Amino acid sequence: MGKKYETPLLDELKKGKWPSFVAEMERAAETSEMTGDLLGQVEQSYKEKMGHWKHGGMVGVKGYGSGIVGRFSDLPEKYPGVKEFHTVRINQPSGFFYKSDSLRKIVDIGEKHASSLFNFHGSTGDIQILGVKTSELETIFQQLVSFGFDLGGSGSALRTPSCCVGMARCEFANYDAMHICYNITQAFQDEMHRPIFNYKFKFKFSGCGNDCTASIARADMSIIGTWKDNIRIDQGMVKEYAKKMNLHKYVTSKCPTKCMNYSDTGLEIDDSNCSKCMHCINVMPKALRPGIKGGATILLGSKAPMVSGPRLSMVLVPFYDVAEDAKNGYQWFKDFVGKIWEFWDEYGVNRERIGELIQRVGIGNFLEAIGLEPLPEMVSSPRGNPFVLYEDYVEADEGQGESPQG
Amino acid sequence: MGKKYETPLLDELKKGKWPSFVAEMERAAETSEMTGDLLGQVEQSYKEKMGHWKHGGMVGVKGYGSGIVGRFSDLPEKYPGVKEFHTVRINQPSGFFYKSDSLRKIVDIGEKHASSLFNFHGSTGDIQILGVKTSELETIFQQLVSFGFDLGGSGSALRTPSCCVGMARCEFANYDAMHICYNITQAFQDEMHRPIFNYKFKFKFSGCGNDCTASIARADMSIIGTWKDNIRIDQGMVKEYAKKMNLHKYVTSKCPTKCMNYSDTGLEIDDSNCSKCMHCINVMPKALRPGIKGGATILLGSKAPMVSGPRLSMVLVPFYDVAEDAKNGYQWFKDFVGKIWEFWDEYGVNRERIGELIQRVGIGNFLEAIGLEPLPEMVSSPRGNPFVLYEDYVEADEGQGESPQG
Amino acid sequence: MPDVSGTKRITDVGPHDYHDFLHPVIKNNYGKWKYHEILSTAHMVHVSETGDKIYSVRVGSPRLVSGSFIKDLCDLADKYSEGYLRFTTRNNVEFLLDKEDNIEPLMNDIKKLNLPLGGIGNVVANIVHTQGWIHCHTAASDASGVTKSLMDDLYEYYIDAKLPAKVRIAFACCLNMCGAVHCSDIAVLGIHRRPPKLLSDKIINLCEIPSTIASCPTNAIRPDTYNGKPSVKLIEEACVFCGNCFTVCPGMPISDPLNDGVSIWVGGKVSNARTKPSFSKLAVSYLENDPPRWPKVVEAVKTILDAYKNGAEKGERVGEWIERIGWPKFFKITGFKFTKYHIDDFRLGEATMNYSAQVRQ
Amino acid sequence: MPDVSGTKRITDVGPHDYHDFLHPVIKNNYGKWKYHEILSTAHMVHVSETGDKIYSVRVGSPRLVSGSFIKDLCDLADKYSEGYLRFTTRNNVEFLLDKEDNIEPLMNDIKKLNLPLGGIGNVVANIVHTQGWIHCHTAASDASGVTKSLMDDLYEYYIDAKLPAKVRIAFACCLNMCGAVHCSDIAVLGIHRRPPKLLSDKIINLCEIPSTIASCPTNAIRPDTYNGKPSVKLIEEACVFCGNCFTVCPGMPISDPLNDGVSIWVGGKVSNARTKPSFSKLAVSYLENDPPRWPKVVEAVKTILDAYKNGAEKGERVGEWIERIGWPKFFKITGFKFTKYHIDDFRLGEATMNYSAQVRQ
Ligand code: SRM
Ligand code: SRM
Ligand code: SRM
Ligand code: SRM
Ligand code: SF4
Ligand code: SF4
Ligand code: SF4
Ligand code: SF4
Ligand code: SF4
Ligand code: SF4
Ligand code: SF4
Ligand code: SF4
């Protein structure tokens, strides 16, 4: 369709070795006029150093409250193609695995009914089709469903859960992250598509402490693989590694709990003190493997800075036996999440994430409400200040005695 | 004078190997009737599991607002000897050094004019004569002054400064803690004896990072020795130590900055990365010594829990050249403290310690007010949240342009 | 459960079942992988207990791509990996091959497409970024442009493993931080620096006043009235320019070309390996927006990366390196100025002071 | 400067000049000490660059002592150390000798006085403690009694060096913490557990209402009126029993024999050696007062000490040991119960949660 606007600034970004998003926009513009206008508007943003999108706007498909992010240009006359330029969030398959046929179908939709521009993937995990007009939403949705894809989350709802590659291609996976992610997403379709929460809620599943989904930083509930038994050691391979590197310097001395010892007799690990950090295994993957009694630690509460500062997730359940629960369709997990959502629903306020709520009401109270025992695993250390809110005191037969201070 | 009351509970505390305070009280009771009554009252406390002292009470000697802690029994009829049982706080000499003649004189005073009971020493550092009647205060004071002792601090005043043994008997001392402590105490007699502060203010001087006065935990200003140059190494002695212990395990691997390396060629230290923690020197005092360019780090703000939780002191001046300032009568230090007190005076509220104030007004503002540059040494790490209060912005010729969001 | 009988509009089918997308070798060895070996920055092999092997070839992507880009990938997958491919959590593409012989031809074809081969091992990983001026209304900077400028300059670090450990860079265009900026080795963050405007006519008509007030982290927004209707006023001195009020209330726009820009953060991490996960910390408090190539931002990131490369020990992440040498030295060798903005004065800020006499002199 | 002419009352002479109290060997070698050697738990030698030596003999003291006690010390000093002696920052006594030959006879005389020789090196150091029922009005427990009971039981640890490192125990009788309880290896803290009584007649007459309200860490005290005069009321559920209101206002007594008692804290330290200074952390949230010998307190401290002695590596302070084995194990081996009281919910409490997947299983 040719170039509609001069874009000298954006053109600069076609140079260089890294693949250029500008080139991609131009490629997309070949099949979509909307994208031609997008190039024009973005060039103007580059000139003026500011964006040109209006504030928000609610759009969606029938029966869904989420999955579409409405977007409108504040220069619709100048760039009519971006007057409406919504995003359709499509729930990605577990582990971001695809076969080419499905991908082509998704691309077709985006080329025919939208801007031909995509995000593979959004930060939460969705495939995003950018540049959709309101009028095209239902068509796109129907087509997606027809070959087994559905919308992801947006707004005050469960957000699209995601997981690492896990057991599909990683020897470190301690539980089947892809399976539980799929199962849970299917089970909570309603919570994802019809926003009734106080705010967003995110799950991310990582198969081990390396946390390749960054769940501890950006999931309200982070499910991170761990194990209960001993690290499996192949002493022969350890010796091989020792030939190539200083095991003391690069392995044992970096163990956070100092529970390893390497000597002529081999590598010894005090597994009762190992905090499953993954370091030694990462460095010597041919010699060490996590134990076989795999499971996950469940952590709660991470999020971006608004309103009270950034948060990481904190330990809630030190060991969750995922494989055991899988036998029962993850019923324990679903009930557990249900209790948390109930509490959030009852005590949370509008736009309050679960991590903020817990901090506001006190962790002790939260634990009591959802029926968890306080455990030292939850803290990096116990309290250091003496302001303890002891909950009850003994009363004497006070009518009789003197008042203590007379 | 014999035993006035049965004290079966206290008697239990005369048993055992550790010297008994009850036995001491009984010894004191031999020369002071007051202490006989104290035994009675304390026995009653042991029976009832509560104290029998009234709330506070202002007493003092003429011209002084501090140095005496008033104390009155809430059972004065029953135990007339403890009706008034005040404490006289006597400013200890630097480093708690004495000669027997002076000590005997202090004891004499306590035996003649008080309960014959003493604290050697109070937690802040004072010698305390316990059990003084208001009527005896002036006599005691006059006598003390006559042989060169004076009262310490109490109330909302400078509290008795104290210091470690320092250069007098410790090879680790990086500056003359006893000298500056003495000089500063002399200089601030008025601030110590006439309470005009918002609350108490404490100085503690420790000659090195071992901090044998626990200054970092309980002094509003903690002055802790450090050095600028290199650790002095006697490689021969290092080898001797190496024969007796695993230097790697007990020395180098415990260095907090991992700046040491021990090998056949000897011990190497990257002094630019050494944080002067004292560990290696502590373990091998015959082989290692702090550098010769000694000085101190000045830290601010530690205190007990009330009202907002316990605090440790934080770094304010990474390196204070004490010896240089000594040439000038510690004038820099005095001016520096003066600026801090001025700020505290102006912005602090009643019963607000300096550490609490700084936190309330913001460290940046505090630094600006007292004229210190912000330094990375002051923080364990820079901010992790993006809520930065940038102080000024550029204004365009706003009449002309469009308002940004149109 | 959705009604799929056809009589009702089909909804809630959920994500596609991933089993349909798994390479047969992966299906057969699911959960049985024994170890992996990194063969180059662009490919690795995973070996199963059964002896089976799967090769992964990794390719960089700008994430914001055209349909043609995806179709190119599909063509390659059809040619070399029976149509199977995946994306990584940092938006790289991975082709999954069971035949070692296919690796070289695949790589050659990728090169023909001018796509970068790399991203595995001790590299600068693909930058996680957000929408920016391309698509978001609260952006204080552009995302794709900064990312592209950085990756062009850091290209060698993506294709070669020259670093002591992996370096994860993230970009977010506003404090909402849709990228994992708060826990990245190096992060670039779009920031505003001027309080929002109060468009009172909009505020009284479009904004829910209590949420608007509650949205402010520093309590700078106070209730007020305008034309007799509930509105808000602003304590400008307390504003930290977060833009959260604008997210809640369209009547408080905060974008301002003269004052918007980016800040740079370092030393965060997510993994639990060795050290605990940690936040990124403020390194450079402000750099102006200078599109199209943000040279100052690129230079600052380069400065950090060079210092890290020269100073860190093998296996040390950026934050671990800085902790070892100390923040004073970090500021010294990078030449960045430490200011009062670097001292945390927010919520848990007190916990970040140096409460010790451990000081490098 | 004080007027010492005699015409005016002499004031502000300040502390006695320490130079008068320094042993000649100390005076001559001031600032020249080269190294020290610990010869036993009761004596050490400091060697000067000049070759001079000073021997220090350390003796335990209950701190609360009679005049006779001090005179006993003076007699010994006169006999063996030319009258010179000092006290330590933990209330031990140190005789300073230049003659090695005097050490043994001095020690023998000390033994005759039944005073403990020890306290140097890897011992339980003398307990820093406070006033308690002997002299303070806000005490929730006695200081000297608990200290004596503990030291009787820990005597062997004072005279022999059986521990991995030095253990500093502190006692404070209320949350004012006049001992350095908040940064001790093991700390015993007197606590109240019942809200203060409101003696309104006293409050309106004796208390300054604004300071009383400001004294409360949890904002549990609110303004009120009583008999038409300004007074306060109490939100009992918010009270954390700190007693600070009583310090400010005699009308709010908080002592209550049935509920007062002690809590036990572990793992604090002050020195900067190896690890940074750190707070003591809650181990046992409540033990009742059981005078005269507080057996449960002694038992709990003993439990910690035994676990530490058995588990720690040489040179590890209590807190360093616990950090290495992890708090879960600490609670397991001591048998202390971890409760919600152990989770910090005050000011910077959030900073103490476990924000990592580093968990021992
Ligand atoms: C598209 C996406 C960025 C991207 O380029 O990938 C995105 C885009 C937006 N985010 Fe986000 N967020 C996206 C992932 C995230 C993440 C990362 C994650 O999920 O792993 C975060 C940080 C983690 C977290 O949830 O805290 C994130 C934290 C936010 C916040 C701050 C939330 C908070 O509690 O602090 C907001 C503000 C809000 O919710 O109003 C926000 C709001 C927004 C809005 C909806 C702003 C708005 O009101 O219009 C953006 C729409 C932009 C657009 O043009 O479509 N976005 N957002 C990501 C979602 C794509 C997907 O579904 O896969
Ligand atoms: C005597 C002494 C305890 C001892 O047995 O050694 C002591 C005793 C009292 N202290 Fe203290 N404090 C003593 C050292 C401390 C210390 C330790 C130190 O100075 O190194 C602290 C902790 C550090 C600090 O300053 O924060 C300390 C923190 C307090 C506090 C809490 C202050 C705060 O800001 O949180 C109070 C409450 C107050 O000031 O009202 C307090 C109040 C008191 C009062 C005055 C309570 C009162 O209102 O009557 C006590 C008088 C008891 C008495 O019977 O004489 N005392 N007090 C110590 C002073 C002796 C001396 O002069 O040498
Ligand atoms: C493919 C991917 C998972 C996925 O489901 O997509 C993945 C795959 C692997 N990761 Fe990862 N990680 C992936 C994102 C992550 C992330 C998340 C992120 O970067 O946003 C993290 C946390 C980052 C952080 O800490 O900030 C992550 C932290 C690790 C670590 C821990 C590194 C460390 O020492 O801190 C390891 C272990 C290692 O590299 O030695 C690891 C190791 C691995 C291994 C070796 C696991 C294995 O045996 O297969 C994989 C190849 C590593 C490589 O790329 O060099 N993976 N890995 C992700 C690739 C992203 C990319 O395209 O660059
Ligand atoms: C005499 C005294 C100073 C004074 O001015 O009175 C003193 C004297 C010495 N201290 Fe200390 N320290 C003294 C209180 C302290 C304190 C304060 C306290 O306990 O309240 C501390 C901080 C305690 C803490 O960290 O909680 C303290 C932390 C140290 C350390 C660091 C220990 C560690 O590894 O954490 C050393 C180094 C060592 O012991 O290896 C040390 C080393 C020393 C040396 C070896 C220094 C020397 O070369 O002379 C002295 C003999 C040690 C010994 O007693 O075993 N001194 N020392 C104090 C004796 C107190 C007592 O009677 O027990
Ligand atoms: S999180 Fe662990 S299991 Fe998952 S991909 Fe990363 S290394 Fe593998
Ligand atoms: S996994 Fe981590 S904690 Fe466990 S032994 Fe290895 S390095 Fe140590
Ligand atoms: S603080 Fe340092 S200089 Fe002072 S006595 Fe202790 S070890 Fe010696
Ligand atoms: S003093 Fe501390 S930081 Fe310095 S080299 Fe010795 S152990 Fe390391
Ligand atoms: S970071 Fe801010 S500007 Fe960027 S996409 Fe997210 S909400 Fe929009
Ligand atoms: S920009 Fe942020 S800090 Fe400023 S007024 Fe709005 S919400 Fe408050
Ligand atoms: S700790 Fe409390 S009770 Fe004990 S002396 Fe200090 S103020 Fe008094
Ligand atoms: S005891 Fe403490 S918490 Fe309770 S009311 Fe008084 S000041 Fe407040």
Side-chain angles (χ1 to χ4, degrees), chain D residues 304-315:
Chain D
I304 298 166
L305 216 52
D306 286 345
Y308 167 65
K309 192 183 151 199
N310 296 332
E313 288 177 1
K314 203 173 142 48

Side-chain angles (χ1 to χ4, degrees), chain B residues 46 100 104 171 176 308, chain D residues 30 36 78 94 142 148 347:
Chain B
Y46 267 61
S100 52
R104 287 186 206 276
E171 73 274 25
D176 193 348
S308 55
Chain D
Y30 197 93
H36 73 277
D78 287 341
E94 287 181 340
D142 188 40
K148 162 78 172 144
R347 200 164 117 264

Side-chain angles (χ1 to χ4, degrees), chain B residues 240-310:
Chain B
E240 289 302 310
Y241 278 107
K243 285 180 196 154
K244 290 173 295 180
M245 68 172 152
N246 181 338
L247 292 197
H248 177 75
K249 184 169 164 104
Y250 296 109
V251 183
T252 61
S253 82
K254 296 205 168 179
C255 168
T257 62
K258 303 279 174 284
C259 68
M260 317 186 82
N261 190 36
Y262 180 67
S263 65
D264 297 344
T265 60
L267 183 70
E268 272 172 89
I269 300 177
D270 171 6
D271 285 274
S272 77
N273 197 19
C274 161
S275 62
K276 325 301 175 197
C277 84
M278 287 300 295
H279 171 64
C280 57
I281 302 173
N282 288 341
V283 177
M284 309 196 287
K286 289 184 179 172
L288 304 180
R289 301 172 74 184
I292 50 172
K293 290 194 189 155
T297 300
I298 303 179
L299 304 93
L300 204 73
S302 69
K303 64 177 301 298
M306 306 297 179
V307 182
S308 55

Side-chain angles (χ1 to χ4, degrees), chain C residues 20-154:
Chain C
D20 298 342
F21 300 143
L22 299 182
H23 190 291
V25 170
I26 285 186
K27 252 190 196 151
N28 293 335
N29 296 283
Y30 198 92
K32 296 186 202 149
W33 299 106
K34 199 170 164 200
Y35 67 88
H36 73 277
E37 204 164 340
I38 294 181
L39 304 168
S40 78
T41 56
H43 74 306
M44 59 183 166
V45 60
H46 283 76
V47 181
S48 163
E49 284 168 352
T50 66
D52 284 356
K53 292 180 179 182
I54 191 92
Y55 294 92
S56 304
V57 173
R58 194 177 286 178
V59 181
S61 150
R63 190 185 77 133
L64 174 61
V65 295
S66 65
S68 315
F69 181 94
I70 300 295
K71 284 187 286 186
D72 289 346
L73 300 180
C74 289
D75 291 345
L76 293 177
D78 287 341
K79 198 161 161 198
Y80 298 109
S81 61
E82 287 112 275
Y84 294 101
L85 78 168
R86 74 178 290 268
F87 293 81
T88 70
T89 60
R90 296 188 77 88
N91 308 316
N92 284 308
V93 181
E94 286 180 341
F95 294 95
L96 303 153
L97 287 71
D98 54 357
K99 295 179 200 59
E100 198 172 357
D101 290 347
N102 274 342
I103 297 174
E104 222 188 287
L106 167 63
M107 288 189 171
N108 285 334
D109 278 2
I110 290 168
K111 278 181 201 150
K112 280 184 211 142
L113 291 173
N114 279 320
L115 294 179
L117 282 159
I120 301 179
N122 293 343
V123 298
V124 165
N126 200 354
I127 295 180
V128 166
H129 66 277
T130 46
Q131 297 293 338
W133 294 331
I134 302 272
H135 205 261
C136 198
H137 59 216
T138 66
S141 183
D142 187 41
S144 306
V146 178
T147 299
K148 161 79 172 143
S149 304
L150 281 168
M151 285 310 280
D152 277 346
D153 216 74
L154 306 178

Side-chain angles (χ1 to χ4, degrees), chain C residues 320-335:
Chain C
E320 293 166 339
W321 159 64
I322 299 176
E323 285 300 330
R324 182 172 55 76
I325 66 166
W327 287 95
K329 200 157 183 179
F330 171 79
F331 283 95
K332 204 169 148 199
I333 60 183
T334 55

